[in-house]
């Protein structure tokens, strides 16, 4: 199974923007771990935007 390049760019940009990690640091993560960070950032943003 290949990973869609656009999805990979989106995930790298999202994590880099929020955590200020380098592209290399993010690409060194295994896919499930990178997805987990994306999900955690989204959860943090959701909580922050809901005022909790």
């Amino acid at each position: 199974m290949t990973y869609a390049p656009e999805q990979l760019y989106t995930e790298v940009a999202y994590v880099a923007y929020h955590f200020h990690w380098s592209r290399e640091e993010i690409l060194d993560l295994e896919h499930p771990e990178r997805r987990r960070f994306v999900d955690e950032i989204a959860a943090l943003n959701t909580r922050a935007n809901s005022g909790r």
Side-chain angles (χ1 to χ4, degrees):
M1 179 174 159
T2 60
Y3 198 62
E6 287 304 315
Q7 182 66 30
L8 182 59
Y9 279 109
T10 299
E11 289 180 8
V12 170
Y14 193 71
V15 174
Y17 178 80
H18 288 282
F19 285 172
H20 309 284
W21 293 352
S22 71
R23 178 182 66 166
E24 290 75 22
E25 290 172 311
I26 299 164
L27 289 174
D28 282 345
L29 298 171
E30 293 292 326
H31 174 68
E33 189 175 23
R34 190 174 48 251
R35 281 295 320 160
R36 177 66 189 263
F37 279 114
V38 167
D39 292 343
E40 292 299 326
I41 292 167
L44 289 169
N45 284 332
T46 298
R47 275 186 257 146
N49 291 331
S50 71
R52 288 189 277 160

